[in-house]
Amino acid sequence: MPLIPEEPQIHESAQGPRATPSSGRTAPTPRPVPGPRLAAPSRPGRPGPPRPAPPAQRTSRDAAPAAKPGPSASPAAADGPQIQLIPASVEGALDAAEEAVDLLLDSGRAPGDMLVITTGEQHPWATHELSFGEASYWAQHDAGDDVFYADAQVADRAKARPVVVVAVNGGPESVTAAALKAAHARAGALLIVCGDPQCINSVLGAGV
């Protein structure tokens, strides 16, 4: 995986398809996702009585066509995705990742294009779905019709998707390194990393 130099060529923006000013000024850190999201109906085809809808369920926005990563991302290497870094604290990394996903959905990205990996606490959606068993959880991954949330320790099992978002929201450095390596290998077009830039560059500089 290419290393990020001390002055990385990645932009601090989550808005994949949106261009950033040519002046190179740092874009503002995305605002935390405001308020609770409305839950979508439970997925069909589940046996037994209805169950509560999972948190942060994603749906396609008016069936818009998938958007291409915009010029706000760093130029992609011949063998890797474009990379964007969103500065965020450990506590704010998951909110920043959620904001990035929302912006991509608004721009036309299909929910099934995206994989979100967390290095610390699991995303509430993953926690909810895993409570019904791993078989059901991974069946949703294989269906590929919604944003999929995975813990870093099982990210190696996830299939490649056009966009991978990593929320560096805790965990040891070794877990972050493994998550970034897995994310880079699975991101077809765009890799977004939300977390402390110094920590991320330190991990990348260690040879990820």
Side-chain angles (χ1 to χ4, degrees):
M1 174 174 179
L3 302 182
I4 294 181
E6 292 185 3
E7 295 183 2
Q9 297 299 313
I10 53 181
H11 293 264
E12 298 175 355
S13 168
Q15 304 180 24
R18 305 182 185 181
T20 53
S22 59
S23 62
R25 292 179 294 178
T26 302
T29 302
R31 299 185 301 277
V33 179
R37 289 182 174 77
L38 295 177
S42 301
R43 288 187 175 86
R46 298 285 176 81
R51 70 192 197 196
Q57 177 72 16
R58 304 290 183 177
T59 56
S60 180
R61 307 278 178 95
D62 299 324
K68 302 292 185 181
S72 59
S74 63
D79 59 349
Q82 295 178 315
I83 301 173
Q84 293 180 3
L85 172 62
I86 302 176
S89 65
V90 170
E91 296 78 12
L94 192 55
D95 278 342
E98 285 286 272
E99 180 73 3
V101 169
D102 284 342
L103 289 169
L104 288 166
L105 289 171
D106 286 339
S107 74
R109 273 285 179 193
D113 281 356
M114 289 177 274
L115 167 68
V116 179
I117 299 173
T118 55
T119 65
E121 185 178 354
Q122 284 184 330
H123 188 279
W125 183 92
T127 301
H128 180 275
E129 291 303 319
L130 282 167
S131 70
F132 296 94
E134 287 199 11
S136 172
Y137 172 75
W138 287 106
Q140 294 180 61
H141 164 270
D142 294 340
D145 56 5
D146 201 357
V147 181
F148 190 77
Y149 297 86
D151 181 85
Q153 299 189 34
V154 299
D156 283 341
R157 187 171 168 181
K159 296 178 182 178
R161 293 200 177 191
V163 180
V164 178
V165 181
V166 180
V168 184
N169 62 331
E173 188 172 289
S174 60
V175 172
T176 299
L180 291 175
K181 183 176 181 179
H184 188 269
R186 282 155 182 77
L190 180 62
L191 171 61
I192 299 175
V193 184
C194 306
D196 176 55
Q198 184 175 355
C199 172
I200 293 168
N201 282 323
S202 174
V203 171
L204 290 172
V208 178

